[in-house]
Amino acid sequence: MGLRERKKRETRQRIADVAMGLFAARGFDDVTVAEVARAADVSVNTVFNYFPAKEDLFLDRRDWAEGRPEEVVRQREPGESVVRAFRRDVLDAIATRSWRYGFNEGSDVFTGMVRESPTLLARVREFHVEREEALAAALARESGAGGDDVTPRVVAAQILGATRALSDYAVRRMLAGEAWSSIEPALKEQTERAFDLLEHGLGG
Amino acid sequence: MGLRERKKRETRQRIADVAMGLFAARGFDDVTVAEVARAADVSVNTVFNYFPAKEDLFLDRRDWAEGRPEEVVRQREPGESVVRAFRRDVLDAIATRSWRYGFNEGSDVFTGMVRESPTLLARVREFHVEREEALAAALARESGAGGDDVTPRVVAAQILGATRALSDYAVRRMLAGEAWSSIEPALKEQTERAFDLLEHGLGG
DNA sequence: CACAAACTTAGAGTCACTGCAATTTTGGTA
DNA sequence: TACCAAAATTGCAGTGACTCTAAGTTTGTG
C-alpha cells in the first residue's frame, strides 16, 4: 500500500473519529459539517469527498456490511429451516452480546442518538429496507421461487420484523437503565416466543 | 364557519393543488418551494406555514388517516382472529380497488413518483413505521399484553409486512403495464398464500 | 370605529450539498 | 534529481429547504 492510500485512509478515519466525538458531545443535529471539517483540519469539500452525506459520518455505510441476513441463510446447517437458522443466530447474538442485532452495550446510546435525529432515523430505516430486500432476494434464490411470488418478501419481512422488535425490546430496557444480566433471560424468552410465532403461525 | 376559516382552507387547498400539478409535470425534486409559492400566489413563508415540509405538499399528512390498521382490529367480527380480519380486509380492498393498500389505479404513478425521490421515500417509510406502531399499540390493548411483551410488535410487523409485500407486488405489475383484470386473480392468490403463511407459520 | 388577534409578508440568515477552477501533493519516469 | 500527469485538496460561488424576526395586512369583536 503506497503513501497515497495510507494517507487517504488516515484522513478518512480522522474525519470520522473527530465527527463522532463532536456528535457524542453535542448531538448530531447540533454539529455542522463545517465544524467537523475545521476540527479535522480539512476543508468542507474534503469531508463530502469521503462521506456522501452528513449521516454517513455517523452511520458509516461500511460498518453495515457485517451481520448480513443473507449470510445466515447461506451458512445455515444442512436440513435446517431458515427460521430456525435465524432463531439460532439471534440467540447466539444475545449470548455473545453481538453487535449485529443491537445487543451491544453501547447500542442504547447509539439508538438514543439516532432517535434524536430525523435524518439518522431515516437512514437507519433505509438500511432496514436494504437488508429486507437482500434477504428476500436470497430467499428467492434459495427456494427457486420465480419473480412472481410474494413469499420471499413476506418471509423476509416477517423475520426481520421479529428481529427488529427484539432489538427494540432490548434497547428499551437498556435505556431504562437495566443491567444486561437482568435483561438477558427475558430477552431469550421473548426471542423464543417471537420465533415460535414465526414458525407456528398466529392462529389465535 | 367564518370568512377567516374558509379563506385558510381555500389557500391551503390551492397551494396543495398547484404543487401537485407542478410535481406531476416535472417531478418532485425538480420543483422548488419558491416556484410553488409563486404559482399559488403566496409567499414562501405561507407555504411553510401550512405545510411543515416540502414533502407534505405531496403526501399530505391528513390523507393518511384513512384505512388505519387499528380500525381493522377494532371493527372485526366477533370471534374473528386479527389475522383473519386483515385477510378479509385486504381481499375486500382488492375487490373494491380501494386506496388503502395501494390497490388503486393511480397508485402506480404515485409509487413511481415516490420512488424517484429519496425524500418522499423516507417520508413513506415513516408512515409505515407509524402505522406499525399504531397497530402494535392496538394489539397490545386488545390482548391485554403488558408493556413487557414483544408479541404485539412482532405480530404488527408480520401483518403489515405482508400487506406491504402485496402492495409492492400489485404496483410492480401495474408498472409493468399489465391491466388490472390480469393482475387481480394472481393478487388474490398471493394474498391467500401470504396470509396462510401468517396463520400457519413458516415451518418449511 | 377601534382594537386585538390572526394571517401574511419581506428580508436576512443557517446549513447541507454541488459545481468549478485553481492549487497542492504524490508516484513514476527521464 | 528534476519533471510530469494524475489524484487529492481547496476556495469560492452558488442553490434550495427551512427558520426567525419584525413589520405589515386582514379579520372578528365590542
Side-chain angles (χ1 to χ4, degrees):
Chain A
M1 171 173 48
L3 177 71
R4 189 166 235 145
E5 281 309 300
R6 206 178 66 229
K7 264 203 163 182
K8 272 179 69 170
R9 222 170 276 215
E10 280 172 5
T11 305
R12 189 195 155 88
Q13 195 56 47
R14 188 175 73 249
I15 295 173
D17 290 345
V18 160
M20 278 305 295
L22 290 172
F23 294 155
R26 288 164 39 209
F28 181 78
D29 288 323
D30 286 345
V31 175
T32 70
V33 175
E35 284 175 306
V36 172
R38 199 150 32 83
D41 209 44
V42 291
S43 77
V44 174
N45 284 32
T46 302
V47 174
F48 282 113
N49 186 26
Y50 285 105
F51 302 90
K54 187 187 176 189
E55 308 95 84
D56 296 307
L57 288 167
F58 188 84
L59 303 165
D60 199 331
R61 285 190 142 97
R62 304 177 174 195
D63 298 341
W64 291 75
E66 211 171 342
R68 294 214 313 275
E70 314 95 273
E71 295 308 313
V72 179
V73 172
R74 192 168 299 137
Q75 292 172 10
R76 72 186 196 273
E77 290 170 8
E80 190 180 38
S81 82
V82 173
V83 193
R84 286 214 159 272
F86 271 99
R87 184 198 292 253
R88 205 161 47 76
D89 192 50
V90 171
L91 286 172
D92 175 73
I94 294 171
T96 62
R97 303 180 64 169
S98 157
W99 185 86
R100 66 187 181 283
Y101 291 108
F103 300 137
N104 214 1
E105 322 182 52
S107 66
D108 53 342
V109 299
F110 176 87
T111 308
M113 291 198 62
V114 170
R115 273 206 261 184
E116 296 291 310
S117 161
T119 318
L120 292 180
L121 262 178
R123 177 70 103 214
V124 166
R125 288 189 197 121
E126 203 184 317
F127 280 124
H128 287 159
V129 172
E130 279 172 20
R131 280 167 67 89
E132 206 168 297
E133 281 169 359
L135 177 55
L139 290 174
R141 235 180 292 119
E142 194 81 5
S143 70
D148 204 64
D149 189 356
V150 285
T151 308
R153 295 196 72 98
V154 172
V155 173
Q158 288 187 22
I159 291 172
L160 293 187
T163 64
R164 254 181 286 135
L166 291 168
S167 296
D168 288 354
Y169 175 83
V171 167
R172 189 162 44 81
R173 293 187 66 159
M174 284 189 225
L175 283 171
E178 284 188 60
W180 177 257
S181 57
S182 91
I183 299 175
E184 183 171 356
L187 180 57
K188 274 187 191 164
E189 200 182 313
Q190 298 286 339
T191 303
E192 301 287 4
R193 195 180 304 188
F195 277 93
D196 284 346
L197 273 176
L198 285 187
E199 276 189 86
H200 307 118
L202 312 75
Chain B
M1 171 174 46
L3 176 71
R4 187 166 239 147
E5 215 52 34
R6 206 179 65 229
K7 266 204 164 180
K8 272 178 66 170
R9 223 169 275 215
E10 281 172 3
T11 305
R12 188 195 157 89
Q13 194 57 47
R14 189 176 71 250
I15 295 172
D17 290 347
V18 159
M20 276 307 292
L22 291 174
F23 293 156
R26 287 164 40 208
F28 181 79
D29 288 323
D30 286 346
V31 175
T32 71
V33 176
E35 283 175 307
V36 173
R38 198 149 35 84
D41 209 43
V42 292
S43 76
V44 174
N45 285 31
T46 303
V47 175
F48 282 115
N49 186 27
Y50 284 105
F51 301 90
K54 187 187 175 190
E55 308 94 84
D56 296 305
L57 289 167
F58 188 85
L59 304 165
D60 199 331
R61 286 191 140 97
R62 303 177 173 193
D63 298 341
W64 291 75
E66 212 171 340
R68 295 214 313 275
E70 313 94 273
E71 295 308 313
V72 179
V73 172
R74 193 168 297 137
Q75 293 172 10
R76 72 186 195 273
E77 291 170 8
E80 190 180 39
S81 82
V82 173
V83 193
R84 286 214 158 273
F86 271 99
R87 186 199 290 253
R88 207 162 45 77
D89 192 51
V90 171
L91 286 172
D92 175 73
I94 293 171
T96 62
R97 303 180 62 170
S98 157
W99 185 86
R100 66 187 180 284
Y101 291 108
F103 299 137
N104 214 3
E105 322 183 52
S107 65
D108 52 344
V109 297
F110 176 85
T111 308
M113 291 200 62
V114 170
R115 271 204 261 183
E116 295 292 309
S117 160
T119 320
L120 292 179
L121 263 177
R123 178 68 104 212
V124 167
R125 289 189 197 123
E126 202 183 318
F127 280 123
H128 287 158
V129 171
E130 280 171 21
R131 280 168 66 90
E132 205 169 296
E133 281 169 359
L135 177 55
L139 290 174
R141 236 180 290 119
E142 194 81 3
S143 69
D148 204 64
D149 190 356
V150 286
T151 307
R153 296 196 71 99
V154 172
V155 173
Q158 289 187 23
I159 291 173
L160 294 187
T163 66
R164 254 179 287 135
L166 290 168
S167 297
D168 288 354
Y169 175 82
V171 167
R172 188 161 45 81
R173 294 188 63 158
M174 284 190 225
L175 284 171
E178 285 189 59
W180 176 257
S181 57
S182 89
I183 300 176
E184 183 171 356
L187 180 56
K188 273 187 192 166
E189 200 183 313
Q190 298 287 338
T191 303
E192 301 287 4
R193 195 182 303 189
F195 277 94
D196 284 346
L197 273 176
L198 284 187
E199 276 188 87
H200 306 119
L202 311 72

